[in-house]
Amino acid sequence: MRYLPKMQQLRIFQEVVNQGSIRAAARMLGQSQPAISRTLKELEYMLETSLFVRSPLGITLTPSGQLFVVRSRRILEELKRAGDEIRFLHTQHSVVKVALNDILSLTVLPEVLEQFHQQLPLTRLYVQDRSLPSQLLAGELDFAVSPQPEVLPDGLAIQPLFKTSLNVVANRHHPQVQTNDLQQLRGSKWLFAGEESEVAVRLDAHLATFFQQLEQPPVYTHSLSHGLQLVQQANYLMLLPHPLLIRFNSTLRALAIPALPSLHYAAVWPKQSPLTASAQRLLMLIRQACKQLT
């Protein structure tokens, strides 16, 4: 590599990737297309490689470009985070971006947010309901809370938070609501909502075998609200963590199925990106609130 890339080159490169074409990136950045093209050629010259394959339909990343897009995005996110920390030090303004599982959003999150805003009233908080390891590794999120994976991707740090049991749940009028034998439920309609069911099946061989033997394949949805509607109105069964069963105990019933696995929940974040002071404060409040979920 002849020289280190400049920040402006990284920003333009990322914008071209985000927009999918030089024309759209030029429009978004308020620059001319020749200027954008020139910057990209300079960047490729510095890196001694081609980053894009250009065509009338837009641009496609080369293998080198696919590697560089991850690293350059991480660099820009780290610089932004450094600026946020310095601004927080002097003005108490900061930004925190997290992904929180449904179990937190529907139980302790209101309490946590109330305490967080009392302690850091000038912090802007962004919350999404799920995350990808790539988002964490790229620095797009400060941390995420979800069921603890069996194998943690390289580059991520982990802090266990709480453990809770799983229940098979049905609506109060389900014809098999009194069943206590899992094998008798192979002919029922099942669904997987959120991450919990899939994680539990991966970790528990008994459950994995059971779901392979279902007469009808389960329905998959990322939306817990969709799953609950199907349980309540269409006689589906699902696996649900115990705190959410308590939350919806007026409409749901737990079947007395023995020996179901427990799930461990954890916070994860990039090892190479220490949590900012405001993100540490939020995680501390979540950790304290999670004690009631065990």
Side-chain angles (χ1 to χ4, degrees), residues 28-271:
M28 183 65 63
L29 295 170
Q31 299 186 30
S32 67
Q33 290 186 56
I36 298 294
S37 296
R38 186 167 56 251
T39 298
L40 294 178
K41 289 180 181 178
E42 291 172 354
L43 180 59
E44 290 177 323
Y45 176 77
M46 288 181 179
L47 296 173
E48 301 178 353
T49 188
S50 296
L51 299 173
F52 298 107
V53 176
R54 297 162 177 82
S55 73
L57 298 178
I59 56 95
T60 304
L61 288 170
T62 65
S64 296
Q66 293 171 359
L67 289 174
F68 189 67
V69 72
V70 175
R71 297 290 187 180
S72 59
R73 182 178 296 142
R74 177 69 176 275
I75 290 169
L76 293 173
E77 289 290 344
E78 281 298 300
L79 284 173
K80 183 177 181 298
R81 183 174 281 116
D84 289 342
E85 284 207 278
I86 292 172
R87 184 168 63 252
F88 176 71
L89 182 64
H90 294 286
T91 68
Q92 295 298 295
H93 285 85
S94 63
V95 176
V96 177
K97 297 180 180 180
V98 296
L100 302 179
N101 191 269
D102 287 326
I103 194 171
L104 294 186
S105 300
L106 293 171
T107 54
V108 301
L109 185 59
E111 169 193 344
V112 168
L113 292 186
E114 182 68 23
Q115 295 174 345
F116 184 73
H117 287 307
Q118 287 178 359
Q119 297 178 20
L120 300 176
L122 301 180
T123 295
R124 185 178 301 172
L125 182 60
Y126 294 88
V127 180
Q128 64 186 56
D129 59 356
R130 62 184 56 87
S131 66
L132 298 172
S134 58
Q135 287 182 291
L136 290 165
L137 292 171
E140 297 172 8
L141 295 169
D142 288 280
F143 65 86
V145 175
S146 64
Q148 187 170 324
E150 186 176 10
V151 178
L152 191 68
D154 290 340
L156 293 180
I158 188 167
Q159 181 177 108
L161 293 175
F162 66 96
K163 179 180 75 170
T164 186
S165 59
L166 280 176
N167 297 99
V168 174
V169 298
N171 66 52
R172 291 177 296 175
H173 307 293
H174 193 285
Q176 293 179 289
V177 72
Q178 300 299 328
T179 300
N180 59 10
D181 183 354
L182 188 64
Q183 298 305 315
Q184 295 179 15
L185 303 174
R186 286 183 295 179
S188 298
K189 296 185 295 185
W190 283 82
L191 65 88
F192 287 177
E195 301 172 274
E196 281 78 7
S197 298
E198 296 177 66
V199 171
V201 169
R202 286 200 302 269
L203 296 179
D204 189 276
H206 177 62
L207 274 183
T209 300
F210 168 76
F211 281 107
Q212 290 170 1
Q213 297 171 345
L214 291 182
E215 297 177 11
Q216 177 179 321
V219 172
Y220 292 81
T221 175
H222 287 299
S223 169
L224 179 62
S225 62
H226 290 168
L228 292 173
Q229 287 292 321
L230 290 171
V231 169
Q232 293 166 1
Q233 299 179 15
N235 278 349
Y236 276 83
L237 300 174
M238 67 182 292
L239 294 170
L240 197 68
H242 189 69
L244 292 181
L245 171 63
I246 295 175
R247 170 72 171 76
F248 297 104
N249 65 356
S250 61
T251 56
L252 299 180
R253 291 293 181 269
L255 280 64
I257 306 296
L260 290 173
S262 296
L263 281 184
H264 296 254
Y265 288 78
V268 294
W269 64 88
K271 287 181 180 178

